[in-house]
Amino acid sequence: MESSETPKQEWKADNYARHAHFVPALGAPVLELLAPRPGERILDLGCGDGVLTEKIAAAGATVVGVDAAPEMIAAAQARGLDARVCAGEKLAFASEFDAVFSNAALHWMKSAPDAVIAGVKRALKPGGRFVAEMGGHGCVAAIIVSIVATLERRGVTGAAAGIPWYFPTVNDYRARLEAAGFRVDYIELIPRPTPLPTNMAGWLELFGQPLFNRLPPSERQDAIAETVERLKPVLCDETGRWTGDYIRLRFKAHAP
Ligand code: BEZ
């Protein structure tokens, strides 16, 4: 395939729950940093199927969840949550939230991070806080290198340019937050080797979909198997357990 265009990720709530239930489960530290209080109005940006949105609501806050994926929003609504389909780049709220929260979603909003941050800032009341965790610089580096090697060996040109994730450094993201008018209270890159509940093939099928979909359907399973083999010496232990080389960027900022 000659095009450098990356196919879109398609989200299926059941597949996500099977291969990626660790994503909200590992969201406890960022939830703690948010420290939601009863009566607060909080926006959960990239809420997915609403597992963490539900926890924020359980703290007594009124929560609105938004996500670009209609399937995930349907799953969040099925939990009884106020969840709406909306892309992170197109937030249209004005001065109505005490806090905006986001877990494991901002790195998918690669094309216009400043539009996302500007929308968050508009959505907050003066003094409101933006508390989030996303993939940070170097996140899943081994996995990315292996996928790119597989795709290039199979004739996909410009595979590296098609990586669908934005994993910023501390300096990059701090500068964007400050340029949008935020004051940054805390920001840190946190290495977090992450045990994968199924295996590497399951992870690649779910999260690597936009990359592997650049190959003809008949080649995709072989390409995933090739990528898994290349990763085995570095991410699979002697008992067959897989660990993802995750690095998180966690931060708290406030609107003055
Ligand atoms: C993450 O949550 O850090 C992540 C998700 C998908 C691909 C890579 C990283």
Side-chain angles (χ1 to χ4, degrees):
M1 182 188 274
E2 290 302 313
S3 161
S4 63
E5 212 170 276
T6 305
K8 271 201 164 12
Q9 175 80 18
E10 280 177 23
W11 295 105
K12 300 265 181 251
D14 52 349
N15 210 22
Y16 189 83
R18 183 151 56 94
H19 293 295
H21 55 78
F22 64 88
V23 175
L26 294 175
V30 66
L31 207 52
E32 213 169 283
L33 190 63
L34 173 69
R37 293 185 286 272
E40 284 192 318
R41 187 166 167 78
I42 297 180
L43 177 67
D44 184 356
L45 171 56
C47 66
D49 59 6
V51 171
L52 288 178
T53 325
E54 209 167 41
K55 288 194 186 323
I56 299 169
T62 301
V63 198
V64 177
V66 293
D67 201 289
E71 261 246 8
M72 301 302 270
I73 285 298
Q77 287 170 343
R79 295 176 191 273
L81 295 164
D82 178 353
R84 310 172 190 178
V85 177
C86 175
E89 298 82 359
K90 302 212 166 123
L91 296 177
F93 303 100
S95 305
E96 61 175 281
F97 292 101
D98 299 291
V100 176
F101 170 82
S102 184
N103 181 56
L106 294 171
H107 49 255
W108 289 101
M109 303 171 203
K110 181 178 183 178
S111 65
D114 294 322
V116 175
I117 295 170
V120 169
K121 173 80 175 10
R122 275 194 308 274
L124 286 168
K125 297 174 187 168
R129 61 204 190 279
F130 182 19
V131 177
E133 185 171 306
M134 65 193 291
H137 187 63
C139 188
V140 296
I143 298 176
I144 289 173
V145 169
S146 182
I147 296 173
V148 168
T150 298
L151 295 180
E152 290 194 339
R153 206 187 65 73
R154 289 166 184 266
V156 174
T157 53
I163 292 161
W165 313 302
Y166 167 52
F167 295 139
T169 60
V170 163
N171 286 346
D172 174 5
Y173 213 74
R174 181 199 293 278
R176 289 180 194 275
L177 288 166
E178 288 177 347
F182 279 104
R183 306 249 167 89
V184 178
D185 305 302
Y186 157 81
I187 184 163
E188 191 180 13
L189 268 186
I190 303 165
R192 194 200 65 196
T194 301
L196 304 182
T198 47
N199 53 31
M200 183 52 72
W203 192 97
L204 292 170
E205 272 168 35
L206 178 65
F207 292 120
Q209 197 192 102
L211 290 156
F212 289 105
N213 282 2
R214 295 182 65 188
L215 292 168
S218 60
E219 266 194 64
R220 289 177 196 162
Q221 285 310 314
D222 279 357
I224 287 174
E226 178 185 334
T227 309
V228 167
E229 275 313 300
R230 197 175 291 109
L231 285 167
K232 219 178 221 166
V234 287
L235 295 181
C236 186
D237 72 12
E238 65 286 356
T239 69
R241 273 192 295 253
W242 285 90
T243 300
D245 51 338
Y246 277 53
I247 296 178
R248 318 310 290 161
L249 182 68
R250 191 180 298 158
F251 64 86
K252 179 176 179 184
H254 69 274

